[in-house]
Amino acid sequence: MPGEIRPTGVPSAAGAPLAPPPLRASHADRDRVVDILTVAAGDGLLSAAELDERLETALSARTLDELAPLTADLPAAAGTPLAAAPDVKDVVRVDNRGGSFRRVDRWVVPRRMEVRSEWGEVVLDFTRAVITQDTLRIDMDVRGSSLVLVTRPGIVVDADELTVAFGKVDIRPAAGPATPVGLRVVLAGELEFGKVRARPPRRNFLRWLLRRPAALPALTG
């Protein structure tokens, strides 16, 4: 009688218990590992090459078994539980008139944002933001203003629901199409005489994390 088939497709001996399949990793699981790695790199525990390699593995990991080795040798994960889940707001409202509104560093991304801006600038920097869900909807009423989204690998911006009148939308991907999507930012509402720009950090992502200066261009001639 043929043996039973394991979930991985490998037959087992007749009557032997099946090994449980590896648990799948969620977006939140990958985000927690990325957060530990970036903090460790900022503290000097990982080199730029090590961080680059581990981030690539974390963003493409499918199971928890693939994620575990990435932080096993770091103090943040060595026998101490991760910090409690942050308090995530359902809605954050921004009312900006003629000024500059910025969210940078380790801010907690809400489930939804309402952005109203007239003749000013709104900057949402996601490079070190705390992300706990897979979608952020931004309802916009932006006139004569700019909305700047600074992204990181795994964040995509969707402007299909945005109505644009005499404005400009410039969305630049932070990573290649093979990178798993961790957060989808959906832009909706109206943009009039303004601009939306989504871009990665101006300097190399890893250098930004490590607070290193950008490399100088080579001199020619």
Side-chain angles (χ1 to χ4, degrees):
M1 182 176 178
E4 298 180 49
I5 302 299
R6 297 174 184 268
T8 56
V10 179
S12 65
L18 295 177
L23 295 178
R24 289 278 179 167
S26 67
H27 293 314
D29 294 324
R30 283 185 284 267
D31 286 341
R32 281 194 292 268
V33 171
V34 168
D35 193 44
I36 291 174
L37 294 175
T38 55
V39 171
D43 291 340
L45 298 174
L46 295 174
S47 67
E50 290 173 320
L51 178 61
D52 190 10
E53 180 180 358
R54 296 193 191 196
L55 281 178
E56 182 178 355
T57 302
L59 290 171
S60 60
R62 295 181 179 180
T63 68
L64 296 179
D65 288 346
E66 295 176 68
L67 290 175
L70 301 178
T71 58
D73 59 345
L74 300 176
T80 58
L82 294 174
D87 184 17
V88 181
K89 295 182 178 180
D90 288 331
V91 182
V92 169
R93 295 178 175 84
V94 177
D95 192 352
N96 179 53
R97 302 188 182 187
S100 178
F101 177 93
R102 304 176 69 88
R103 280 289 180 267
V104 298
D105 294 328
R106 293 180 55 79
W107 63 290
V108 179
V109 177
R111 295 181 178 87
R112 187 168 67 88
M113 297 187 71
E114 296 178 0
V115 176
R116 180 179 181 182
S117 183
E118 297 180 359
W119 311 108
E121 179 185 55
V122 175
V123 177
L124 303 177
D125 189 334
F126 294 93
T127 49
R128 288 183 58 83
V130 178
I131 301 171
T132 62
Q133 70 280 340
D134 57 10
T135 303
L136 167 64
R137 181 182 176 90
I138 302 180
D139 292 308
M140 299 171 48
D141 183 3
V142 174
R143 304 177 190 280
S145 299
S146 62
L147 172 64
V148 179
L149 308 174
V150 184
T151 59
R152 71 188 191 207
I155 296 179
V156 297
V157 179
D158 181 352
D160 290 347
E161 297 184 37
L162 183 64
T163 301
V164 181
F166 305 104
K168 181 178 181 181
V169 176
D170 180 12
I171 298 176
R172 303 182 183 183
T179 302
V181 177
L183 175 68
R184 181 176 300 276
V185 181
V186 178
L187 303 180
E190 297 183 357
L191 171 69
E192 184 176 356
F193 293 103
K195 181 176 181 179
V196 169
R197 187 178 187 190
R199 59 168 177 81
R202 294 189 183 280
R203 290 180 289 177
N204 177 273
F205 179 61
L206 299 179
R207 292 184 182 275
W208 186 90
L209 291 174
L210 296 172
R211 299 299 193 271
R212 295 183 179 182
L216 295 175
L219 297 177
T220 59

